[in-house]
Amino acid sequence: MAKLSQEDLLAQFEGMTLIELSEFVKAFEEKFDVTAAAAAPVVVAGGAAGGAAAEAVEEKDEFDVILTGAGDKKIQVIKVVRELTSLGLKEAKDLVDGAPKPVLEKVAKDAAEKAAESLKGAGASVEVK
């Protein structure tokens, strides 16, 4: 089989529906034992948490952002959840409908606070643990 270039792969993905692409990502994660959704927040959190952990070893450096309620502006909350995560529309709606649920797990304090502010700005009830 000929090796596909990055442009060829992107062209293939461009022709896929969101459902097909979501199924591909799940299959990719299973095949290579990775998690695409967790990669971006962990990389961002790792860089931000490094300085804080060096300053205060005893201070907690990983936080969870828990959505406790959607409030009156459920659609706005779903939009913010999608921005913060790599979830699709249905998955984000299910997360919001199933509150209390974690939106982000094991992220740096700064990232957790920003996410909580964004969710509260959309009208949601949020806890940072």
Side-chain angles (χ1 to χ4, degrees):
M1 180 175 178
K3 183 176 179 180
L4 297 174
S5 69
Q6 190 173 21
E7 290 80 24
D8 294 336
L9 286 171
L10 289 173
Q12 288 294 318
F13 293 140
E14 194 173 53
M16 298 173 87
T17 65
L18 288 177
I19 293 172
E20 291 171 334
L21 192 54
S22 175
E23 290 170 354
F24 170 77
V25 170
K26 288 177 187 174
F28 186 89
E29 289 173 343
E30 289 174 13
K31 171 93 176 165
F32 296 104
D33 194 29
V34 295
T35 306
V42 171
V43 171
V44 172
E55 292 174 11
V57 175
E58 295 176 12
E59 186 176 334
K60 183 176 176 182
D61 64 347
E62 291 182 339
F63 295 85
D64 295 340
V65 179
I66 312 290
L67 177 70
T68 57
D72 295 336
K73 300 176 183 177
K74 184 172 151 183
I75 293 173
Q76 295 300 324
V77 174
I78 292 171
K79 287 180 181 179
V80 172
V81 168
R82 290 191 68 205
E83 290 172 10
L84 295 172
T85 65
S86 62
L87 296 176
L89 181 60
K90 182 183 182 322
E91 292 84 3
K93 181 183 179 299
D94 291 345
L95 186 146
V96 171
D97 287 341
K101 294 252 181 169
V103 177
L104 296 174
E105 295 178 318
K106 297 183 180 179
V107 296
K109 184 175 183 178
D110 294 342
E113 289 173 354
K114 287 179 184 177
E117 286 177 30
S118 298
L119 287 164
K120 286 177 184 176
S125 302
V126 181
E127 285 182 17
V128 177
K129 292 184 177 184

